[in-house]
Amino acid sequence: DAGITQSPRHKVTETGTPVTLRCHQTENHRYMYWYRQDPGHGLRLIHYSYGVKDTDKGEVSDGYSVSRSKTEDFLLTLESATSSQTSVYFCAISLNPADTQYFGPGTRLTVL
Amino acid sequence: DQQVKQNSPSLSVQEGRISILNCDYTNSMFDYFLWYKKYPAEGPTFLISISSIKDKNEDGRFTVFLNKSAKHLSLHIVPSQPGDSAVYFCAASAIEGAQKLVFGQGTRLTINP
């Protein structure tokens, strides 16, 4: 299994509060991704990173920001959480853009 | 606009028989396709992939078929085993923007003993 951890694994928060999710990898992969999984939608790309301090938007980036200050860490921030951001969030990594993406265990976020 | 569609939310198959999961796509720029398997409370795990230059790729009990003219791919599992019970996602990417995987909605496969 690829060395990917996500923290926290579960979080309950209230509308309007800031939330940061962390993805940590030990594989030294260049690319890192954040997805959300919702019923009826599969997984949708939020943001991805192609190197330290290099990030780009995915399909559903509104309301989310990311940062990558080290190769091994990729942070996803919800500046002001909304109920529509209740979801399961997955981090993934890949060595190169066309390589297979390997996923972390996920974070279940509930926004009340 | 769902570019990758898995029209069957669920599928039930008897142990030992063949499981066939289907996936359709609309974007003709997609040239690489993958299947992921997901157990509850875990992240998706890569299962098998196929490039658009091929029409079939096999790995043990798993075979993926690609029909480019129909924009359709399928995953065959034979023989099906109880441990195959999971949600299966197909995903696709294009040469330009290969890092941007587009996933289908998933199909829940249940293997009955």
Side-chain angles (χ1 to χ4, degrees):
Chain A
D1 287 347
I4 312 168
T5 56
Q6 293 185 230
S7 58
R9 293 294 313 278
H10 301 270
K11 186 169 182 67
V12 180
T13 190
E14 293 192 350
T15 298
T17 60
V19 175
T20 295
L21 308 182
R22 179 181 184 239
C23 177
H24 178 79
Q25 60 145 331
T26 58
E27 305 296 320
N28 201 33
H29 281 30
R30 181 181 167 201
Y31 281 75
M32 298 186 74
Y33 312 80
W34 278 108
Y35 290 86
R36 58 178 290 173
Q37 183 197 359
D38 303 290
H41 291 279
L43 286 86
R44 291 179 292 174
L45 181 65
I46 304 171
H47 283 279
Y48 68 95
S49 169
Y50 47 98
V52 173
K53 299 193 189 309
D54 294 322
T55 65
D56 202 354
K57 295 179 180 180
E59 180 186 356
V60 290
S61 58
D62 286 349
Y64 302 95
S65 62
V66 290
S67 65
R68 191 168 178 199
S69 58
K70 298 185 289 186
T71 298
E72 57 267 33
D73 289 325
F74 192 31
L75 304 181
L76 177 70
T77 298
L78 292 67
E79 300 290 347
S80 177
T82 67
S83 58
S84 64
Q85 293 176 313
T86 292
S87 186
V88 181
Y89 291 85
F90 289 101
C91 172
I93 64 173
S94 70
L95 199 54
N96 293 304
D99 284 340
T100 301
Q101 294 183 21
Y102 297 95
F103 285 80
T107 293
R108 181 173 294 276
L109 176 67
T110 302
V111 183
L112 301 176
Chain B
D1 179 30
Q2 193 85 24
Q3 297 185 70
V4 178
K5 296 181 183 179
Q6 294 175 255
N7 291 316
S8 298
S10 62
L11 176 67
S12 187
V13 174
Q14 198 149 10
E15 182 179 357
R17 307 294 288 265
I18 184 170
S19 295
I20 300 176
L21 296 95
N22 294 303
C23 180
D24 297 297
Y25 61 97
T26 58
N27 189 340
S28 57
M29 299 302 292
F30 287 150
D31 68 334
Y32 190 63
F33 305 88
L34 309 89
W35 285 94
Y36 282 85
K37 175 180 178 179
K38 186 184 178 306
Y39 292 121
E42 294 184 10
T45 55
F46 170 73
L47 197 55
I48 192 168
S49 63
I50 188 167
S51 158
S52 61
I53 62 173
K54 294 185 173 183
D55 54 19
K56 176 183 173 181
N57 189 26
E58 193 171 354
D59 183 3
R61 296 187 298 114
F62 303 91
T63 303
V64 56
F65 295 92
L66 175 63
N67 183 333
K68 291 185 287 296
S69 61
K71 293 190 177 68
H72 177 83
L73 63 154
S74 61
L75 174 67
H76 292 211
I77 306 172
V78 56
S80 300
Q81 299 174 353
D84 296 330
S85 294
V87 177
Y88 289 79
F89 293 98
C90 68
S93 68
I95 296 176
E96 292 295 325
Q99 67 278 15
K100 294 185 179 180
L101 282 182
V102 179
F103 283 82
Q105 308 96 308
T107 296
R108 182 178 302 279
L109 175 65
T110 302
I111 306 301
N112 301 307

